[in-house]
Amino acid sequence: MYIPDPISKLIDGFMRLPGIGPKTAQRLSFYVLGMEEEDVMELAKALVRAKRDLQRCEECSNITDHKRCLVCADKGRDRSVICVVQDPRDVIAMERTKEYHGLYHVLHGAISPMEGIGPDELSIPDLLKRLEDETVQELILATNPNIEGEATAMYLQRLIKPFGIKVTRIAHGLPVGGDLEYADEVTLTKAMEGRREL
Amino acid sequence: MYIPDPISKLIDGFMRLPGIGPKTAQRLSFYVLGMEEEDVMELAKALVRAKRDLQRCEECSNITDHKRCLVCADKGRDRSVICVVQDPRDVIAMERTKEYHGLYHVLHGAISPMEGIGPDELSIPDLLKRLEDETVQELILATNPNIEGEATAMYLQRLIKPFGIKVTRIAHGLPVGGDLEYADEVTLTKAMEGRREL
């Protein structure tokens, strides 16, 4: 095929990204040729920087380009609550609510015997170390509401209860804007179980 | 928002690409964090190289990383036929058929009064220069079968006929694997007009 080498290399590069097949990769590559050189250089630099400069926060394991992440470094946050999430993206989602002012702990995954991920593969030892200090009063388990997430929440609850710390789990129920008619049985059962007096 | 700077820069970078919105850009960016450093570096390098090293072939205006593109540099090609296309991607599509063995000429667009693109914005002067040499015997107009493409084909046909060169237009008709029932009227009319004796 008569495709110049720089273009076919770029197509190959884009195809390594998720959800990008050969057609999209070709479309993106030819688009890049028409972009401002400055914008292309910035994207290339951002790729290198994101890969090289990011590390885990030494406190909560969230990703950061400093020693401690922006949440841990923020003196205005409530240090008595830690919200445990699976992924750095979950922190972004939580922060978007602007309603939570405590700290986080990022596990980087969930317990999954199927994929060979046990508690030791996650940042659970770091979490236990944070609980030795007596400032933490509540641990909110915000792992995903699926099998792995529930198993992880269950495991953490059993592990941490003996510390005498309040352990809570985020609520399951109908999503706002959802439709009762289309809700699955498990969600509906959980929504009924979790009902609150008005 | 508590997104580390390298990540938000990368999200911004991805969002400059076509068809990539904030959600996809975030997904791609976090995926990059988990990729092998080598693969990320290669993608970054490919971006820079594609933008810096590619230029137009001095003969046919196709994109190339040399002075002349791979088709023009190929001594086995039939130099008596030139296929005129709008875009370097069209060359790739034509080459995929493996049925055409002549040369190309890439216009880099089509005449479009609506977008202010006249003949002078395209590589038409270069095409005329190529026709001065008497080796060219046929010019195949393979611009797109839409208003701009047809207008460009019409313009070129009128311009080049006086040179005494055979000017042809690729056939319009039903795409292979298509369905007569769903074909639009114009395509069907063209297919009828272009019928051939078996």
Side-chain angles (χ1 to χ4, degrees):
Chain A
M1 284 254 273
Y2 285 91
I3 302 183
D5 187 57
I7 275 279
S8 61
K9 282 258 173 62
L10 186 55
I11 293 175
D12 289 346
F14 275 127
M15 275 174 64
R16 289 208 193 91
L17 299 175
I20 294 184
K23 286 262 170 185
T24 310
Q26 189 181 311
R27 192 166 54 91
L28 292 177
S29 302
F30 276 93
Y31 184 86
V32 165
L33 299 188
M35 275 169 73
E36 292 293 324
E37 180 156 340
E38 200 187 325
D39 288 346
V40 178
M41 295 306 142
E42 241 167 65
L43 175 55
K45 244 187 278 168
L47 277 164
V48 176
R49 273 196 67 203
K51 189 67 202 167
R52 285 214 177 132
D53 296 358
L54 286 173
Q55 53 191 8
R56 290 190 182 184
C57 167
E58 57 181 19
E59 200 162 331
C60 75
S61 295
N62 191 7
I63 49 160
T64 173
D65 51 340
H66 295 86
K67 277 199 162 182
R68 294 168 80 209
C69 76
L70 290 162
V71 179
C72 290
D74 183 346
K75 291 203 171 133
R77 309 287 299 209
D78 179 359
R79 301 196 165 260
S80 69
V81 197
I82 292 178
C83 175
V84 180
V85 295
Q86 288 181 208
D87 198 278
R89 271 164 285 193
D90 301 335
V91 174
I92 298 173
M94 285 292 287
E95 284 302 304
R96 224 179 279 134
T97 68
K98 294 194 175 71
E99 293 291 332
Y100 177 70
H101 306 292
L103 301 179
Y104 293 96
H105 193 82
V106 182
L107 297 177
H108 290 279
I111 293 171
S112 168
M114 292 278 285
E115 292 176 42
I117 301 171
D120 297 342
E121 272 75 41
L122 308 174
S123 63
I124 291 176
D126 300 333
L127 177 62
L128 296 181
K129 224 174 282 161
R130 289 177 78 185
L131 299 179
E132 284 169 7
D133 181 356
E134 289 191 359
T135 46
V136 181
Q137 273 153 33
E138 185 180 352
L139 198 74
I140 304 172
L141 302 175
T143 52
N144 285 335
N146 54 25
I147 298 176
E148 290 82 11
E150 292 295 348
T152 311
M154 195 72 77
Y155 176 87
L156 285 175
Q157 181 244 326
R158 288 198 191 149
L159 194 71
I160 288 154
K161 261 280 172 77
F163 283 69
I165 293 167
K166 188 171 155 194
V167 180
T168 56
R169 176 89 174 107
I170 50 163
H172 292 335
L174 291 172
V176 177
D179 201 318
L180 211 91
E181 188 183 344
Y182 301 117
D184 63 291
E185 300 85 342
V186 186
T187 302
L188 214 50
T189 309
K190 294 266 185 193
M192 289 293 281
E193 281 173 8
R195 68 188 181 278
R196 300 204 299 188
E197 202 176 314
L198 295 177
Chain B
M1 284 256 273
Y2 285 91
I3 303 183
D5 187 55
I7 275 277
S8 61
K9 282 258 173 61
L10 186 55
I11 294 175
D12 289 346
F14 275 127
M15 276 174 63
R16 288 208 193 91
L17 299 174
I20 294 184
K23 286 261 171 185
T24 310
Q26 189 181 312
R27 192 165 54 91
L28 292 177
S29 302
F30 277 93
Y31 183 87
V32 165
L33 298 188
M35 274 168 74
E36 292 294 324
E37 179 155 341
E38 199 188 326
D39 289 346
V40 179
M41 295 307 142
E42 239 168 66
L43 175 56
K45 243 187 278 167
L47 277 165
V48 176
R49 273 197 66 204
K51 190 66 202 167
R52 285 214 177 131
D53 296 358
L54 286 174
Q55 53 191 8
R56 290 190 183 184
C57 166
E58 57 180 19
E59 200 161 331
C60 76
S61 294
N62 190 7
I63 49 160
T64 173
D65 52 340
H66 296 85
K67 277 199 162 183
R68 293 168 80 210
C69 77
L70 290 162
V71 178
C72 290
D74 184 346
K75 292 203 171 133
R77 311 285 300 209
D78 179 358
R79 301 195 166 260
S80 69
V81 197
I82 292 179
C83 175
V84 179
V85 295
Q86 289 182 208
D87 198 279
R89 271 164 284 193
D90 301 335
V91 174
I92 297 173
M94 284 292 286
E95 285 301 305
R96 224 179 278 136
T97 68
K98 294 194 174 72
E99 294 291 331
Y100 178 70
H101 306 292
L103 301 178
Y104 293 97
H105 194 82
V106 182
L107 297 177
H108 290 280
I111 293 170
S112 168
M114 291 279 285
E115 292 175 42
I117 299 170
D120 296 342
E121 272 74 42
L122 309 175
S123 62
I124 291 176
D126 300 332
L127 176 63
L128 297 181
K129 224 175 281 163
R130 289 177 78 184
L131 300 179
E132 283 169 9
D133 181 355
E134 288 190 0
T135 46
V136 182
Q137 272 153 35
E138 184 180 354
L139 198 74
I140 305 172
L141 302 176
T143 52
N144 286 334
N146 53 25
I147 298 175
E148 289 84 9
E150 292 296 347
T152 311
M154 194 72 78
Y155 176 86
L156 285 175
Q157 180 244 326
R158 287 196 193 152
L159 194 70
I160 288 154
K161 261 280 172 78
F163 283 69
I165 293 167
K166 188 172 155 193
V167 180
T168 56
R169 176 90 175 106
I170 50 163
H172 292 335
L174 290 172
V176 177
D179 200 318
L180 212 90
E181 187 182 345
Y182 301 117
D184 64 291
E185 301 84 342
V186 186
T187 301
L188 213 50
T189 309
K190 295 266 185 193
M192 289 294 280
E193 281 172 9
R195 69 188 181 277
R196 299 204 301 189
E197 201 175 315
L198 294 177

